[in-house]
Amino acid sequence: MKNVFIIGSKGIPSNYGGFETFVEKLTEYNSIEETQIKYHISCLSDNKEEFEHNSARCFNVNVPNLGPAKAVYYDIAALKKVIAYIKTNEIKDATVYILACRIGPFMGHYKKQLKKYGAELFINPDGHEWKRAKWNWLIRKYWKISEQLMVKHADLLVCDSLNIEKYIREDYKQYQPQTTYIAYGADNSNSSLLDNNQTLADWLNKHQVKFNDYYLIVGRFVPENNYEAMIKEFMKSDTKKDLVIITNVEKNKFYQDLLVETNFLDDKRIKFVGTVYDQELLKKIREEAYGYLHGHEVGGTNPSLLEALAFTKLNLLLDVGFNSEVGQTAALYWKKDDLHELINQAEILTGDEIQMFDKESTEIIRTSYSWTKISNEYTSLFKQ
């Protein structure tokens, strides 16, 4: 039996989040297929209990609320528990897979312990955390140094984006990093909600939205997702359709700055509608949108982009490598100053043209990003 310890997600059962969904799907597939892999999953909690989920051993890690340092503390505490478990149970074939590069300065010490017990260290470098605008310069510097040291000590870096893999190999070539590419996965099953579903009708009525008469944005409310550019450009466009924005909007400084820069309250087409945690409802909202706007420019393969390509007919993506490697020719691409022109062009596409984009994007998700494919690739990797 191969033992794989996964650290870095908040744990399972998952609510919503990229790494959490990944771990949920990976263990779910493993429990069905009986791949002879035993997963051990760290879970952020307020207690220290253990339980089984999807045939995986889940162990809770209780850490204090330390602000940005909480995630660092959590990963270290989880890693200590993993090493103790490997030692106590005399496990000889362990792989420790750490999601994201948060504990680089401490990695040299723990790598020696893992090596002592014959355990491999795999790391998912995630995206460019050190580029995120929410961090001050000191925290950004820490994330960059941490990434460097995680790369240095990894036996293998599993990248979910070809662009991230290229960046790791080029920027840290002094360490001769060993890398492989396994994409993030996506659910490609259609929504179970019918057009006359009451929950759907209530949502549409509440926000005064009509089928096929809105563009959609779904994502975290942070500057690097380019809300300012998308809203400004949408307001400059000629479309009569709405812009529905599903996000965890908070009336914070970013929101106030955005309001000053765009005056979006003066445009009745702009509709911040809060979050949607009902996944079947969110699928249906994606399916019934005229088009999807994607402005993420930091990170690897973005889950919301995969979901957009799976369910939304027409996708308008910021023209950066992370997005184009996924969307390929199944999407339209924009720069930060020409989105309004692309929206105007999207308005005059024929039904056949939109159907062509829809068919191609759905096929990309089905063949390259299905959870079955991704889980198979991880199973092969861990069993090698």
Side-chain angles (χ1 to χ4, degrees), residues 1-5 36-40 85 91-96:
M1 178 70 74
K2 177 71 178 182
N3 288 274
V4 177
F5 298 80
Q36 298 303 304
I37 293 176
K38 182 64 178 181
Y39 284 107
H40 307 258
Y85 187 90
I91 295 173
K92 305 298 184 185
D93 65 340
T95 295
V96 178

PDB file of all heavy atoms in Angstrom, residues 1-5 36-40 85 91-96:
ATOM      1  N   MET A   1       0.847  -1.199   0.000  1.00  0.00           N
ATOM      2  CA  MET A   1       0.000   0.000   0.000  1.00  0.00           C
ATOM      3  C   MET A   1       0.880   1.246   0.000  1.00  0.00           C
ATOM      4  O   MET A   1       1.725   1.409   0.876  1.00  0.00           O
ATOM      5  CB  MET A   1      -0.912  -0.002   1.227  1.00  0.00           C
ATOM      6  CG  MET A   1      -1.804   1.226   1.356  1.00  0.00           C
ATOM      7  SD  MET A   1      -3.116   1.292   0.118  1.00  0.00           S
ATOM      8  CE  MET A   1      -4.241   0.025   0.729  1.00  0.00           C
ATOM      9  N   LYS A   2       0.687   2.109  -0.976  1.00  0.00           N
ATOM     10  CA  LYS A   2       1.418   3.364  -1.064  1.00  0.00           C
ATOM     11  C   LYS A   2       0.758   4.409  -0.167  1.00  0.00           C
ATOM     12  O   LYS A   2      -0.462   4.590  -0.210  1.00  0.00           O
ATOM     13  CB  LYS A   2       1.419   3.863  -2.508  1.00  0.00           C
ATOM     14  CG  LYS A   2       2.092   5.211  -2.713  1.00  0.00           C
ATOM     15  CD  LYS A   2       3.585   5.132  -2.551  1.00  0.00           C
ATOM     16  CE  LYS A   2       4.233   6.481  -2.804  1.00  0.00           C
ATOM     17  NZ  LYS A   2       5.692   6.441  -2.703  1.00  0.00           N
ATOM     18  N   ASN A   3       1.541   5.094   0.660  1.00  0.00           N
ATOM     19  CA  ASN A   3       1.032   6.120   1.564  1.00  0.00           C
ATOM     20  C   ASN A   3       1.381   7.503   1.036  1.00  0.00           C
ATOM     21  O   ASN A   3       2.566   7.814   0.821  1.00  0.00           O
ATOM     22  CB  ASN A   3       1.620   5.933   2.965  1.00  0.00           C
ATOM     23  CG  ASN A   3       1.053   4.730   3.682  1.00  0.00           C
ATOM     24  OD1 ASN A   3       0.013   4.821   4.321  1.00  0.00           O
ATOM     25  ND2 ASN A   3       1.741   3.594   3.562  1.00  0.00           N
ATOM     26  N   VAL A   4       0.344   8.330   0.845  1.00  0.00           N
ATOM     27  CA  VAL A   4       0.529   9.696   0.346  1.00  0.00           C
ATOM     28  C   VAL A   4      -0.080  10.659   1.357  1.00  0.00           C
ATOM     29  O   VAL A   4      -1.268  10.554   1.690  1.00  0.00           O
ATOM     30  CB  VAL A   4      -0.120   9.892  -1.037  1.00  0.00           C
ATOM     31  CG1 VAL A   4       0.021  11.339  -1.486  1.00  0.00           C
ATOM     32  CG2 VAL A   4       0.510   8.954  -2.060  1.00  0.00           C
ATOM     33  N   PHE A   5       0.729  11.595   1.836  1.00  0.00           N
ATOM     34  CA  PHE A   5       0.306  12.594   2.814  1.00  0.00           C
ATOM     35  C   PHE A   5       0.171  13.940   2.098  1.00  0.00           C
ATOM     36  O   PHE A   5       1.135  14.405   1.477  1.00  0.00           O
ATOM     37  CB  PHE A   5       1.324  12.702   3.941  1.00  0.00           C
ATOM     38  CG  PHE A   5       1.505  11.437   4.727  1.00  0.00           C
ATOM     39  CD1 PHE A   5       2.313  10.407   4.247  1.00  0.00           C
ATOM     40  CD2 PHE A   5       0.868  11.263   5.943  1.00  0.00           C
ATOM     41  CE1 PHE A   5       2.485   9.232   4.970  1.00  0.00           C
ATOM     42  CE2 PHE A   5       1.022  10.082   6.670  1.00  0.00           C
ATOM     43  CZ  PHE A   5       1.833   9.073   6.181  1.00  0.00           C
ATOM     44  N   GLN A  36      -4.925   1.191  -4.465  1.00  0.00           N
ATOM     45  CA  GLN A  36      -3.852   0.780  -3.553  1.00  0.00           C
ATOM     46  C   GLN A  36      -3.003   1.961  -3.086  1.00  0.00           C
ATOM     47  O   GLN A  36      -1.805   1.832  -2.827  1.00  0.00           O
ATOM     48  CB  GLN A  36      -2.962  -0.295  -4.193  1.00  0.00           C
ATOM     49  CG  GLN A  36      -3.686  -1.583  -4.544  1.00  0.00           C
ATOM     50  CD  GLN A  36      -4.366  -2.217  -3.324  1.00  0.00           C
ATOM     51  OE1 GLN A  36      -3.711  -2.475  -2.333  1.00  0.00           O
ATOM     52  NE2 GLN A  36      -5.663  -2.441  -3.409  1.00  0.00           N
ATOM     53  N   ILE A  37      -3.648   3.121  -3.004  1.00  0.00           N
ATOM     54  CA  ILE A  37      -3.022   4.293  -2.404  1.00  0.00           C
ATOM     55  C   ILE A  37      -3.820   4.664  -1.159  1.00  0.00           C
ATOM     56  O   ILE A  37      -5.046   4.740  -1.212  1.00  0.00           O
ATOM     57  CB  ILE A  37      -2.983   5.492  -3.374  1.00  0.00           C
ATOM     58  CG1 ILE A  37      -2.050   5.200  -4.553  1.00  0.00           C
ATOM     59  CG2 ILE A  37      -2.533   6.763  -2.653  1.00  0.00           C
ATOM     60  CD1 ILE A  37      -2.028   6.302  -5.592  1.00  0.00           C
ATOM     61  N   LYS A  38      -3.127   4.874  -0.059  1.00  0.00           N
ATOM     62  CA  LYS A  38      -3.762   5.350   1.166  1.00  0.00           C
ATOM     63  C   LYS A  38      -3.417   6.825   1.335  1.00  0.00           C
ATOM     64  O   LYS A  38      -2.251   7.184   1.508  1.00  0.00           O
ATOM     65  CB  LYS A  38      -3.289   4.559   2.386  1.00  0.00           C
ATOM     66  CG  LYS A  38      -3.953   4.994   3.692  1.00  0.00           C
ATOM     67  CD  LYS A  38      -5.459   4.723   3.675  1.00  0.00           C
ATOM     68  CE  LYS A  38      -6.112   5.110   4.994  1.00  0.00           C
ATOM     69  NZ  LYS A  38      -7.578   4.834   4.981  1.00  0.00           N
ATOM     70  N   TYR A  39      -4.457   7.666   1.253  1.00  0.00           N
ATOM     71  CA  TYR A  39      -4.249   9.102   1.415  1.00  0.00           C
ATOM     72  C   TYR A  39      -4.415   9.489   2.884  1.00  0.00           C
ATOM     73  O   TYR A  39      -5.291   8.994   3.593  1.00  0.00           O
ATOM     74  CB  TYR A  39      -5.234   9.891   0.552  1.00  0.00           C
ATOM     75  CG  TYR A  39      -4.878   9.902  -0.917  1.00  0.00           C
ATOM     76  CD1 TYR A  39      -5.610   9.152  -1.846  1.00  0.00           C
ATOM     77  CD2 TYR A  39      -3.808  10.662  -1.381  1.00  0.00           C
ATOM     78  CE1 TYR A  39      -5.278   9.163  -3.189  1.00  0.00           C
ATOM     79  CE2 TYR A  39      -3.462  10.662  -2.728  1.00  0.00           C
ATOM     80  CZ  TYR A  39      -4.202   9.916  -3.629  1.00  0.00           C
ATOM     81  OH  TYR A  39      -3.869   9.915  -4.964  1.00  0.00           O
ATOM     82  N   HIS A  40      -3.563  10.419   3.308  1.00  0.00           N
ATOM     83  CA  HIS A  40      -3.628  11.007   4.644  1.00  0.00           C
ATOM     84  C   HIS A  40      -3.730  12.519   4.434  1.00  0.00           C
ATOM     85  O   HIS A  40      -2.808  13.140   3.875  1.00  0.00           O
ATOM     86  CB  HIS A  40      -2.375  10.678   5.451  1.00  0.00           C
ATOM     87  CG  HIS A  40      -2.049   9.210   5.515  1.00  0.00           C
ATOM     88  ND1 HIS A  40      -2.315   8.426   6.618  1.00  0.00           N
ATOM     89  CD2 HIS A  40      -1.477   8.378   4.595  1.00  0.00           C
ATOM     90  CE1 HIS A  40      -1.915   7.185   6.390  1.00  0.00           C
ATOM     91  NE2 HIS A  40      -1.396   7.129   5.170  1.00  0.00           N
ATOM     92  N   TYR A  85       3.943  10.531  12.384  1.00  0.00           N
ATOM     93  CA  TYR A  85       3.144   9.367  11.991  1.00  0.00           C
ATOM     94  C   TYR A  85       3.991   8.383  11.175  1.00  0.00           C
ATOM     95  O   TYR A  85       3.917   7.161  11.379  1.00  0.00           O
ATOM     96  CB  TYR A  85       1.938   9.826  11.177  1.00  0.00           C
ATOM     97  CG  TYR A  85       0.943   8.736  10.858  1.00  0.00           C
ATOM     98  CD1 TYR A  85      -0.117   8.458  11.710  1.00  0.00           C
ATOM     99  CD2 TYR A  85       1.064   7.968   9.697  1.00  0.00           C
ATOM    100  CE1 TYR A  85      -1.035   7.454  11.420  1.00  0.00           C
ATOM    101  CE2 TYR A  85       0.153   6.966   9.397  1.00  0.00           C
ATOM    102  CZ  TYR A  85      -0.893   6.714  10.256  1.00  0.00           C
ATOM    103  OH  TYR A  85      -1.792   5.716   9.962  1.00  0.00           O
ATOM    104  N   ILE A  91       6.661   3.691   8.307  1.00  0.00           N
ATOM    105  CA  ILE A  91       6.259   3.696   6.891  1.00  0.00           C
ATOM    106  C   ILE A  91       7.493   3.926   6.025  1.00  0.00           C
ATOM    107  O   ILE A  91       8.248   4.875   6.242  1.00  0.00           O
ATOM    108  CB  ILE A  91       5.191   4.776   6.641  1.00  0.00           C
ATOM    109  CG1 ILE A  91       3.918   4.432   7.419  1.00  0.00           C
ATOM    110  CG2 ILE A  91       4.892   4.914   5.147  1.00  0.00           C
ATOM    111  CD1 ILE A  91       2.853   5.500   7.376  1.00  0.00           C
ATOM    112  N   LYS A  92       7.685   3.077   5.040  1.00  0.00           N
ATOM    113  CA  LYS A  92       8.901   3.132   4.227  1.00  0.00           C
ATOM    114  C   LYS A  92       8.680   3.722   2.823  1.00  0.00           C
ATOM    115  O   LYS A  92       9.640   4.020   2.118  1.00  0.00           O
ATOM    116  CB  LYS A  92       9.480   1.712   4.066  1.00  0.00           C
ATOM    117  CG  LYS A  92       9.750   0.994   5.378  1.00  0.00           C
ATOM    118  CD  LYS A  92      10.774   1.725   6.223  1.00  0.00           C
ATOM    119  CE  LYS A  92      11.105   0.948   7.499  1.00  0.00           C
ATOM    120  NZ  LYS A  92      12.020   1.699   8.392  1.00  0.00           N
ATOM    121  N   ASP A  93       7.418   3.874   2.426  1.00  0.00           N
ATOM    122  CA  ASP A  93       7.160   4.265   1.028  1.00  0.00           C
ATOM    123  C   ASP A  93       6.383   5.573   0.938  1.00  0.00           C
ATOM    124  O   ASP A  93       5.614   5.791   0.016  1.00  0.00           O
ATOM    125  CB  ASP A  93       6.373   3.164   0.316  1.00  0.00           C
ATOM    126  CG  ASP A  93       4.973   2.981   0.914  1.00  0.00           C
ATOM    127  OD1 ASP A  93       4.766   3.419   2.062  1.00  0.00           O
ATOM    128  OD2 ASP A  93       4.095   2.426   0.223  1.00  0.00           O
ATOM    129  N   ALA A  94       6.563   6.472   1.886  1.00  0.00           N
ATOM    130  CA  ALA A  94       5.722   7.669   1.954  1.00  0.00           C
ATOM    131  C   ALA A  94       6.098   8.709   0.891  1.00  0.00           C
ATOM    132  O   ALA A  94       7.273   8.915   0.584  1.00  0.00           O
ATOM    133  CB  ALA A  94       5.822   8.300   3.339  1.00  0.00           C
ATOM    134  N   THR A  95       5.063   9.363   0.377  1.00  0.00           N
ATOM    135  CA  THR A  95       5.232  10.590  -0.405  1.00  0.00           C
ATOM    136  C   THR A  95       4.493  11.694   0.328  1.00  0.00           C
ATOM    137  O   THR A  95       3.311  11.542   0.650  1.00  0.00           O
ATOM    138  CB  THR A  95       4.657  10.444  -1.827  1.00  0.00           C
ATOM    139  OG1 THR A  95       5.407   9.459  -2.547  1.00  0.00           O
ATOM    140  CG2 THR A  95       4.742  11.770  -2.576  1.00  0.00           C
ATOM    141  N   VAL A  96       5.173  12.780   0.606  1.00  0.00           N
ATOM    142  CA  VAL A  96       4.562  13.947   1.230  1.00  0.00           C
ATOM    143  C   VAL A  96       4.373  14.999   0.149  1.00  0.00           C
ATOM    144  O   VAL A  96       5.340  15.432  -0.484  1.00  0.00           O
ATOM    145  CB  VAL A  96       5.431  14.501   2.379  1.00  0.00           C
ATOM    146  CG1 VAL A  96       4.798  15.751   2.978  1.00  0.00           C
ATOM    147  CG2 VAL A  96       5.636  13.434   3.450  1.00  0.00           C
TER     148      VAL A  96
END
